[in-house]
Each structure stands twice: as structure tokens, then as C-alpha cells.
Amino acid sequence: MAKYRVAWLPGDGVGPDVLAAARVVLDRIGLDAEYLPGDVGWEFWRREGDALPARTIELLGNTDCALFGAVTSKTKSAAEEELDPRLQGKGFSYRSPLVRVRQLLDLFVCLRPCKAFPGNPLNYRDDTDLVVFRENTEDLYAGIEFNGVPEEMKLLPGMDRVPPDAAISLKINTRGGSKRIARAAFEYARKHGRRRVTCVHKANVVRVSDGLFLDTVHQVAHEYPDIAFDNAAVDAMCMSMIRHPQNYDVIVAPNLYGDIVSDLATQLVGGLGFGCTGNIGKHYALFEPSHGSAPKYAGQNKANPIAAILAVRMMLEWLGETDKAARLEAAVADTIHEGQVRTHDMGGSATTQEMTQAIVARL
Ligand code: GGG
């Protein structure tokens, strides 16, 4: 029996292309694992009315961790048009499978390392090396939304100012949720020799929910006197990250701001082809390239596989396979530094498979 059971979820668009690259790397590095394929994504929404079928949730429950490719999602009206006519009118509505997995399995940490590999022509600066801890289950992504003002809400303070044609999405930050993401960020900083944690918020305007987040992270910071702590409003933070990305170390943020600043940070280190994400809970984790499904490049052997390969690196580290993780990171770094093989996004013409082979040859 293999040591690990890994759920294998290619999803849509270029998801299968980049997970094929991930598999080549895993086989070469010799992880003792069994890979169990699972259904997820747009096709399953179209055909079954569910982008995350129950059988896939069961698979996640029977594995140690998951590797995920990418999913397509569309606006409400486009989604309704594409739904199988036999399912139309039956009340199906698209819900992001990624957001659902994060909530169902309580994968409360969204970890996004953003490190510039020297020699990458897409780097903004060569010395950016920061890590974003995004809270992954709460905030505006809690999925509690209304069209119109529900009767039960009408008596709440301030609701008399809300017109009846309002669309309402609740932003929910809890003390417990804020505390555990803060602890995860500070623990990571301590373990990895990082010097500073910066909390991102908008507590000067969104006083109650962001106020709670900032206040909680600040309290947790007192438990870590060896780590410097500061905070920034999300708008100022975006400007500052572009001006001085080298000044940032560990960033902790509620879900929405974390989503935004981690994309910004990923762009500073090469963009979509270089961003990887770990969705991590107490006992389970799902790793993925941060990019979406890019349907127009699907099956063309064109997508940069590095983001998916870096997701494999994160998975190896989480499994405790730290030597293999370090070897893989070194192989990626060498390939980029040498600069012989570059994918389209890097200004070259190498295919997905050629980039994968170049990395594998260094393992
Ligand atoms: N690998 C990340 C990915 O596929 N992102 C696309 C995305 O987030 N789509 C929104 C959704 O979850 O439906």
C-alpha cells in the first residue's frame, strides 16, 4: 500500500495540462503515493448541476490531501444558459467548488508564497519574497447573500436606509476565525525565520468586522514579541507593495483583501505562471496553482506548469517530505535562472511539456 493517498482533481481548461506536468514531477521525485482521480468543475455543473459532486467530497474524506488544477466559473446568467436543459428551472445555482471545499473541510488557511526566482524576466524586482496568509472560510465569501431586504432584517439598525432593490452580501469575521489565521501567520513567521507580520484591513471604514479582525491579530501579536508587527489599510497596502515589495515578509488578511493582495503579490513575482496556493486545515490540505482555467489555452501544451509544480512543492512540504520539496524548489530555481527554457508568458516558446522536462532533468 502506498504511504499517501492523494485526491487528483484536474478540473477545467488548462487544469488537466498542468496537473499532467505535476504528475511527471511527482513520479520522477518518487513520492510513495496513490493518486485518486475526482470530478470537479464546469462540466459537472453543466451536466449534473453540481460542480462538486457528492462522490468527490467523499473522495476528499478518504485521502490525505488533494492536488487541484483549475475551475471555470461564469456569471449567473451565462451559467443558467449553459445548464443542461433537463436541469433548468429546478433551482440549481452555481456555487464555487473551491469556496465550498474550503468551507466543508474547514481549510481555514490560504497560504500563498510569493518569491521572485532570480532570472525570471517577469520579476518586478528580484528581491521580493513574501508570504500571504489569507483567511479562507469567512468574510464576504461566507456565501450569505440576499436579493432584496429579508423581512427579518428590516428591523435591524440602519436597515431603514437600505432601498428594497438592494443586493446584500454579509461580511462575517469572527474572533475565533481571526485568531486562528493570525496564529498560523505568526507560527509560520517564527518557524521560517521571518521578521515581520503585517495585518491588512480597512478598519478605519469597515469598523465592526475589520475592526474585530485587526484587534484580534493585534492581540495575538503580543504572544510573539520576537516578531515585529504592523498593519496597513488595504488600499494603502496595494500602493506600498508596488513601491517597496521587498519591505514585506508575512502578510495576514481577511478573505477578500487576502485574495486581492495575494494576486498583486503574485504579479510582482511573475504572474499567473508562478503563483501557488495551499488551502490548509488542521488535518487536510488542498494544493493548487493560483491561476484559473484559461479555457482558450486548454489542451494546447502552452500553459506554464511552474505554478502547479510549485503547488507540488508545497504539498511535499506539508506531507513532511522536506528533502523532496527542497530538491524540487532548487530544480525550478535553476531552470529559471539558466533561462534556456521559457514558456510563452515568459517571452519564450517552450511548451508545457518542455518546461516540465527541463525541471525534471534537474531533479
Ligand atoms: N486554481 C484556482 C482556480 O481554478 N481559480 C479559479 C477560480 O477561483 N474560480 C472561481 C471558482 O471557484 O469557481
Side-chain angles (χ1 to χ4, degrees):
M1 210 172 97
K3 188 170 175 192
Y4 305 113
R5 285 163 63 81
V6 178
W8 197 259
L9 309 173
D12 305 312
V14 297
D17 306 23
V18 297
L19 278 213
R23 183 59 192 270
V24 171
V25 166
L26 279 161
D27 287 348
R28 175 59 168 253
I29 214 157
L31 186 71
D32 182 9
E34 188 183 354
Y35 303 101
L36 299 130
D39 297 333
V40 68
W42 193 250
E43 272 316 301
F44 298 96
W45 152 250
R46 262 172 31 96
R47 283 193 262 134
E48 303 178 20
D50 195 348
L52 181 70
R55 59 185 177 278
T56 307
I57 298 171
E58 197 179 320
L59 171 73
L60 299 176
N62 290 322
T63 47
D64 297 301
C65 62
L67 202 63
F68 185 97
V71 284
T72 298
S73 54
K74 300 186 184 177
T75 57
K76 190 168 183 287
S77 50
E80 275 159 7
E81 263 173 40
E82 282 203 29
L83 191 63
D84 185 320
R86 284 166 302 184
L87 300 173
Q88 271 167 7
K90 295 204 170 150
F92 291 105
S93 66
Y94 181 84
R95 285 186 63 208
S96 160
L98 273 171
V99 174
R100 271 176 73 201
V101 168
R102 291 165 184 158
Q103 289 174 349
L104 275 171
L105 303 183
D106 201 23
L107 307 180
F108 64 96
V109 173
C110 181
L111 174 60
R112 280 180 154 198
C114 300
K115 175 174 167 176
F117 287 100
N120 183 351
L122 301 173
N123 282 347
Y124 187 73
R125 298 172 55 111
D126 271 356
D127 56 356
T128 306
D129 180 10
L130 60 87
V131 180
V132 180
F133 276 76
R134 162 187 170 194
E135 200 291 322
N136 220 13
T137 58
E138 304 194 327
D139 197 23
L140 275 167
Y141 293 64
I144 302 177
E145 305 191 293
F146 311 98
N147 275 309
V149 184
E151 280 306 316
E152 298 83 344
M153 284 179 90
K154 285 188 177 154
L155 293 175
L156 293 174
M159 289 309 284
D160 54 334
R161 285 185 274 128
V162 180
D165 60 353
I168 301 175
S169 302
L170 294 186
K171 177 174 163 78
I172 299 175
N173 292 347
T174 66
R175 180 78 63 187
S178 308
K179 196 180 273 182
R180 65 182 183 172
I181 190 70
R183 285 237 165 84
F186 279 96
E187 284 296 324
Y188 178 96
R190 196 173 260 175
K191 185 170 170 202
H192 292 84
R194 300 264 181 178
R195 288 160 290 112
R196 188 156 66 113
V197 172
T198 304
C199 176
V200 178
H201 59 88
K202 188 71 186 176
N204 54 333
V205 176
V206 189
R207 301 187 85 84
V208 177
S209 53
D210 279 358
L212 178 140
F213 188 84
L214 174 60
D215 180 55
T216 308
V217 180
H218 203 171
Q219 277 176 19
V220 170
H222 291 307
E223 297 169 23
Y224 298 84
D226 48 322
I227 313 283
F229 173 68
D230 60 2
N231 72 85
V234 61
D235 45 348
M237 181 73 179
C238 290
M239 288 197 283
S240 179
M241 283 172 73
I242 290 172
R243 281 190 76 192
H244 306 295
Q246 74 283 10
N247 286 356
Y248 293 99
D249 208 350
V250 176
I251 293 169
V252 62
N255 211 335
L256 178 61
Y257 309 143
D259 194 355
I260 294 167
V261 298
S262 61
D263 269 22
L264 188 156
T266 300
Q267 190 57 46
L268 297 174
V269 298
L272 295 174
F274 296 85
C276 60
T277 302
N279 302 276
I280 303 172
K282 273 198 173 136
H283 306 293
Y284 197 85
L286 178 145
F287 300 90
E288 52 170 331
S290 309
H291 61 69
S293 63
K296 69 177 177 182
Y297 297 119
Q300 289 188 28
N301 198 15
K302 225 173 172 177
N304 187 341
I306 290 179
I309 291 172
L310 291 174
V312 168
R313 189 206 66 76
M314 288 181 94
M315 182 180 90
L316 292 170
E317 192 167 291
W318 185 80
L319 289 170
E321 301 283 347
T322 46
D323 289 350
K324 288 184 171 59
R327 272 172 56 210
L328 184 53
E329 173 151 348
V332 171
D334 285 354
T335 308
I336 295 171
H337 191 245
E338 214 167 85
Q340 298 292 316
V341 182
R342 286 181 172 167
T343 44
H344 292 264
D345 57 326
M346 299 169 80
S349 58
T351 63
T352 309
Q353 285 168 356
E354 285 164 348
M355 177 57 93
T356 308
Q357 286 308 325
I359 292 168
V360 158
R362 286 165 178 79
L363 278 170

